[in-house]
C-alpha cells in the first residue's frame, strides 16, 4: 500500500519533485545498477522524502521504468535535426558523453545480467524503430547493401557508447574523454566514420 507523503511534501511542486527523483535515480542506477540502487539514497540525492518514490512511481521498479520512459520521450528531439545516418550516430555519441549515467545504467543492466522485465517491451520497441530507420536509410544508399541493419545498429550503438564505456582506452590512445573538446571532436569523427559506410 502506498503511503501518502506528509503535508510538507505535498506542498512541494509535484512535477519538480518527480524530476528531482528521476535525475537522482539516473545517477544511482548508473552507479549501482538496479539491484544495488537504494531508494533511500535516491531520495536523499533528490532532497525529498523516500515515501514519494512509492507515491509517484509505485516503488523502485516503477522509478526505473520512468527513467527509461523519460529518455525515450526525448529521443526524437535528440535526432530531429539529423540529416544522415552519421548525424544520427553522432547525436547519440554526443548524448552519451553529455549524459553518461543513463548509458552506465544500461551497461550495468547487461553486466549484472538483470532480466529486461523492468522495461522489456519499451526497450524492444525502441530498437525496432532504430532498425527500421537504418533499413530506410540503407535503401536510400546511406549504408552498404551487404550490411545487416540489425548488426549495424548494434555496432553503431557501441560506437556511440565507446567513450563512456571505455574511457581508459580513450586515455591510452592519447585522448581526454572528460574534456569539452573531446565531446565535439568525437561527435564529428563518429559522423564522418559512419558516412564511409555508404554504398559505393
Amino acid at each position: 500500500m502506498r503511503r501518502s507523503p506528509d503535508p510538507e511534501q505535498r506542498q512541494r511542486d509535484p512535477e519538480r519533485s518527480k524530476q528531482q527523483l528521476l535525475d537522482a535515480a539516473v545517477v544511482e542506477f548508473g552507479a549501482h545498477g538496479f539491484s544495488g540502487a537504494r531508494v533511500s539514497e535516491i531520495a536523499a540525492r533528490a532532497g525529498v522524502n523516500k515515501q514519494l518514490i512509492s507515491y509517484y512511481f509505485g516503488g523502485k521498479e516503477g522509478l526505473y521504468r520512468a527513467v527509461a520512459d523519460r529518455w525515450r520521450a526525448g529521443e526524437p528531439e535528440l535526432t530531429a535535426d539529423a540529416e544522415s545516418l552519421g548525424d544520427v550516430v553522432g547525436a547519440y555519441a554526443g548524448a552519451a558523453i553529455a549524459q553518461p549515467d543513463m548509458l552506465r545504467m544500461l551497461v550495468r543492466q547487461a553486466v549484472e545480467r538483470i532480466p529486461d522485465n523492468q522495461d522489456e517491451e519499451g526497450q524492444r520497441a525502441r530498437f525496432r524503430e532504430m532498425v527500421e530507420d537504418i533499413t530506410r536509410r540503407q535503401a536510400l544508399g546511406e549504408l552498404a547493401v551487404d550490411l545487416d541493419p540489425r548488426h549495424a545498429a548494434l555496432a553503431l550503438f557501441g560506437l556511440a557508447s565507446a567513450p563512456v564505456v571505455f574511457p581508459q582506452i580513450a586515455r591510452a590512445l592519447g585522448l581526454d574523454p572528460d574534456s569539452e573538446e573531446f565531446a565535439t571532436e568525437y561527435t564529428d569523427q563518429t559522423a564522418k566514420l559512419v558516412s564511409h559506410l555508404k554504398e559505393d
Side-chain angles (χ1 to χ4, degrees):
M1 178 177 172
R2 296 185 187 180
R3 295 179 60 189
S4 297
D6 59 41
E8 181 182 347
Q9 291 291 333
R10 285 198 295 269
Q11 290 174 4
R12 283 178 173 260
D13 178 350
E15 283 307 311
R16 182 178 177 216
S17 295
K18 287 179 185 177
Q19 293 306 314
Q20 287 173 315
L21 282 167
L22 289 167
D23 290 343
V26 171
V27 177
E28 182 72 7
F29 287 133
H32 303 289
F34 178 78
S35 299
R38 298 287 176 260
V39 294
S40 58
E41 291 296 322
I42 294 171
R45 188 183 295 273
V48 302
N49 191 303
K50 69 178 181 179
Q51 293 175 8
L52 288 178
I53 293 176
S54 292
Y55 187 73
Y56 290 136
F57 303 103
K60 185 166 77 167
E61 187 169 330
L63 179 58
Y64 189 92
R65 282 196 301 268
V67 168
D69 288 343
R70 184 174 72 164
W71 165 257
R72 275 197 301 276
E75 276 191 285
E77 183 178 341
L78 177 67
T79 58
D81 297 328
E83 296 181 1
S84 67
L85 182 58
D87 292 338
V88 170
V89 179
Y92 275 98
I97 294 168
Q99 304 173 60
D101 291 308
M102 190 67 218
L103 181 58
R104 291 183 186 121
M105 181 175 138
L106 186 61
V107 171
R108 283 197 170 274
Q109 181 184 21
V111 170
E112 296 171 13
R113 298 184 181 275
I114 297 171
D116 290 337
N117 59 5
Q118 280 90 15
D119 189 39
E120 183 174 8
E121 184 48 42
Q123 191 174 74
R124 288 181 184 276
R126 170 191 172 198
F127 286 104
R128 277 197 301 268
E129 290 176 4
M130 182 182 293
V131 170
E132 288 170 3
D133 182 57
I134 292 176
T135 301
R136 179 182 64 80
R137 292 178 181 278
Q138 186 178 43
L140 295 173
E142 291 191 56
L143 188 69
V145 295
D146 61 343
L147 294 175
D148 184 320
R150 297 167 301 168
H151 289 274
L154 179 60
L156 295 175
F157 191 84
L159 176 64
S161 307
V164 176
V165 179
F166 301 113
Q168 73 277 26
I169 294 178
R171 294 187 187 96
L173 291 168
L175 301 168
D176 180 4
D178 299 317
S179 70
E180 291 184 16
E181 294 80 8
F182 175 82
T184 301
E185 291 169 0
Y186 191 76
T187 299
D188 180 59
Q189 288 293 308
T190 298
K192 287 180 178 178
L193 191 156
V194 174
S195 72
H196 289 288
L197 301 176
K198 289 182 179 180
E199 182 67 15
D200 292 331

